[in-house]
Amino acid sequence: MIRAYVANTLAQAHLIKGFLDAEGIFAVVRGEHLVGISGEIPITFDTLPSIWVGEEDRDTARVLIDKALRNEIVFEDWTCPECGEAVEGQFTECWQCGSARSPV
Ligand SMILES: [Zn+2]
């Protein structure tokens, strides 16, 4: 995997991961275990939470992240394809049945 983006905050990292998930790109957030002790270690590029994606998804991920950062990420509410529940836009999974949001 390769690092696609270094986020300023863990919340931002997870928002972007959710955005990539929703677009069908597998992404992981690394560095979050360091946040709890960030007062004790210097904050550097390597200790900030970062988004990692598969090498084959690198270019697509960068385009999507750019887009997300430019437009700010505004999620619309969606309807679960499995159970028909209305789910708020910031969630990538149905709170009722756990189905993943379908790619936009
Ligand atoms: Zn559901």
Side-chain angles (χ1 to χ4, degrees):
M1 299 193 90
I2 57 119
R3 180 161 56 191
Y5 182 70
V6 176
N8 295 316
T9 65
L10 192 54
Q12 187 193 38
H14 278 285
L15 210 62
I16 290 173
K17 174 186 162 16
F19 184 72
L20 292 174
D21 280 350
E23 298 283 342
I25 291 179
F26 177 73
V28 295
V29 175
R30 288 190 191 162
E32 56 187 317
H33 59 288
L34 294 168
V35 170
I37 54 167
S38 58
E40 294 155 37
I41 53 171
I43 301 278
T44 68
F45 196 70
D46 287 324
T47 58
L48 286 169
S50 51
I51 319 286
W52 294 68
V53 299
E55 201 138 347
E56 69 280 6
D57 288 330
R58 179 178 56 188
D59 294 340
T60 316
R62 283 190 177 153
V63 169
L64 289 170
I65 291 169
D66 264 6
K67 191 169 120 190
L69 294 174
R70 262 204 315 275
N71 303 340
E72 296 188 14
I73 305 169
V74 179
F75 289 119
E76 292 181 12
D77 293 355
W78 53 286
T79 303
C80 176
E82 290 300 318
C83 71
E85 189 63 41
V87 185
E88 287 180 35
Q90 71 267 34
F91 298 108
T92 55
E93 290 179 358
C94 173
W95 59 266
Q96 175 138 294
C97 72
S99 299
R101 181 183 193 168
S102 21
V104 180

